[in-house]
Amino acid sequence: MSETKKKNWFKRLFAIRGMGQVITVFFGLIGLCLIFYFINNNFLSSRNVANLLRQIAPYLIISIGQGYVLITGNIDLSIGSVIGMSAMISATLMTHGMNPWLASIATIIPCVFTGFVNGFLVATCKLPPFIGTLGTMTIARGVAQLVNGNMNTDAIGAGAEGWRSFLYYGKFLNIYNTFWIALVLWFIFNYYLSRTKSGRHIYAIGSNIEAAKLSGVNVASTTTKAYVVSAFCASIVGLITCAQAGMGAMDAGNGYEMYAVAASVIGGISTLGGQGILLGNIVGASVWGSMYNGLSLVGAPVAWRNIIVGVIVVLSVLIDVVIRGESVTKSRGKSIFKKQQS
């Protein structure tokens, strides 16, 4: 009886959409960690694990937002620039004497507006997501450069120490707050995506946009919501980046759009839309963070780290396209076969 229950439990587990890849990548993550541990025993030391979790957190946060957009069948290239805009706006306001918490709220507003603009351009104006978000990427980076007169900001000062501690340097249960923030955001957005009607609409758009329209889904509104979530997540990472550095840097967030796509795809979210779960983003972000942390510990040059990471991104997307292409071909073949039989 107990064996039957165990089998049913495993069947239910693997029946969850996207769970198979999450489990596969999880075992790959364990193997990756063991390899780095054997090369350098410090990899699994308590100090490095705490730092590793803090490094993983920003990747997880931005992958949540990018995951929403990818599931709709779109992409957000403006994430990195929104991070830079967030870091520069918040730091500039704080150096001019604004309370750090008020500065954070004032920063999130224009960042979220960028997400709204992305959704409007893609869903309402019908611009290809690559073009629309490429434009806002450039605009957001320009704002980041202009907000402090085309210069990095000065140090945000001792008045922001409590704010910096909350976002980056402080600990709870011996784990940095940055990781706890990421985990809270993951629970909120995972619930929204997996348990609400709007979340089901996001999947519906990515699976078959025409069928979603016929089912009464407001495609423009749902797509815009996904882009707003992406921009919000990017703004939080920008605030964390500012808290880490204690200043605003105009180039903050460069390349983060690639990290977001990689963490999402490695975790099982398809670039073709309609597939994946946010649980995979935790695993994908962990692979990404472990890769960077481990390569740094073993002394790999930055150039080789970039090459390895780039190869992983290409292979992850390529595998996703091949697998989804085969599944589409099989489903079409089955439907044709059924028609011929009838």
Side-chain angles (χ1 to χ4, degrees):
M1 185 73 177
S2 60
E3 290 183 5
T4 305
K5 286 184 178 179
K6 286 181 180 179
K7 288 180 180 178
N8 290 336
W9 183 82
F10 278 113
K11 283 183 180 179
R12 288 196 299 269
L13 183 65
F14 279 93
I16 298 173
R17 180 173 50 183
M19 184 60 73
Q21 182 166 342
V22 173
I23 294 172
T24 301
V25 176
F26 175 72
F27 282 112
L29 172 63
I30 293 174
L32 181 67
C33 291
L34 289 175
I35 290 171
F36 284 130
Y37 173 71
F38 289 133
I39 296 173
N40 189 328
N41 292 345
N42 290 326
F43 181 77
L44 292 180
S45 66
S46 58
R47 181 178 179 181
N48 190 60
V49 169
N51 285 325
L52 176 59
L53 291 175
R54 184 167 60 175
Q55 286 178 322
I56 289 170
Y59 299 141
L60 175 57
I61 295 171
I62 57 170
S63 73
I64 291 169
Q66 188 71 275
Y68 265 64
V69 176
L70 288 175
I71 291 173
T72 65
N74 297 299
I75 194 169
D76 188 358
L77 298 180
S78 67
I79 285 176
S81 294
V82 173
I83 291 172
M85 185 171 73
S86 172
M88 282 298 296
I89 292 175
S90 59
T92 301
L93 291 174
M94 282 184 266
T95 55
H96 284 77
M98 182 177 283
N99 177 279
W101 303 105
L102 292 177
S104 299
I105 295 171
T107 296
I108 291 171
I109 293 171
C111 292
V112 168
F113 179 73
T114 304
F116 176 81
V117 171
N118 282 335
F120 176 76
L121 292 175
V122 173
T124 305
C125 299
K126 308 298 180 184
L127 281 182
F130 185 88
I131 301 300
T133 60
L134 186 65
T136 53
M137 177 184 79
T138 308
I139 293 169
R141 185 62 65 185
V143 172
Q145 292 164 343
L146 286 174
V147 71
N148 194 49
N150 206 32
M151 295 185 297
N152 294 336
T153 71
D154 297 326
I156 56 180
E161 287 303 312
W163 179 81
R164 295 181 68 191
S165 177
F166 175 80
L167 286 177
Y168 194 78
Y169 290 101
K171 285 184 177 182
F172 176 70
L173 299 178
N174 210 33
I175 296 175
Y176 286 106
N177 292 344
T178 314
F179 180 76
W180 293 116
I181 293 169
L183 207 57
V184 168
L185 290 175
W186 181 86
F187 273 111
I188 292 170
F189 288 116
N190 183 63
Y191 178 85
Y192 182 84
L193 186 64
S194 61
R195 301 290 182 182
T196 67
K197 187 177 179 180
S198 296
R200 291 192 291 274
H201 288 174
I202 289 173
Y203 279 106
I205 291 171
S207 298
N208 190 325
I209 191 169
E210 295 304 323
K213 288 178 181 177
L214 292 173
S215 300
V217 175
N218 188 328
V219 174
S221 174
T222 303
T223 302
T224 301
K225 287 177 185 176
Y227 275 108
V228 167
V229 169
S230 180
F232 173 78
C233 290
S235 71
I236 298 299
V237 174
L239 295 174
I240 291 171
T241 303
C242 178
Q244 176 187 2
M247 58 173 286
M250 292 184 294
D251 62 350
N254 271 344
Y256 267 63
E257 55 279 345
M258 183 184 70
Y259 303 156
V261 171
S264 298
V265 174
I266 291 171
I269 292 179
S270 175
T271 55
L272 302 179
Q275 185 172 305
I277 53 177
L278 286 189
L279 180 62
N281 290 53
I282 295 178
V283 182
S286 298
V287 169
W288 203 245
S290 300
M291 182 71 68
Y292 258 105
N293 183 278
L295 289 173
S296 299
L297 277 180
V298 300
V302 175
W304 279 109
R305 274 184 265 166
N306 291 334
I307 291 171
I308 292 170
V309 165
V311 169
I312 290 172
V313 173
V314 173
L315 288 178
S316 300
V317 176
L318 181 62
I319 292 169
D320 171 55
V321 170
V322 170
I323 292 173
R324 285 295 295 272
E326 288 180 355
S327 64
V328 169
T329 302
K330 286 180 181 178
S331 62
R332 285 177 179 173
K334 286 180 181 178
S335 62
I336 292 170
F337 180 70
K338 287 180 179 178
K339 286 181 181 178
Q340 289 175 344
Q341 281 187 325
S342 59

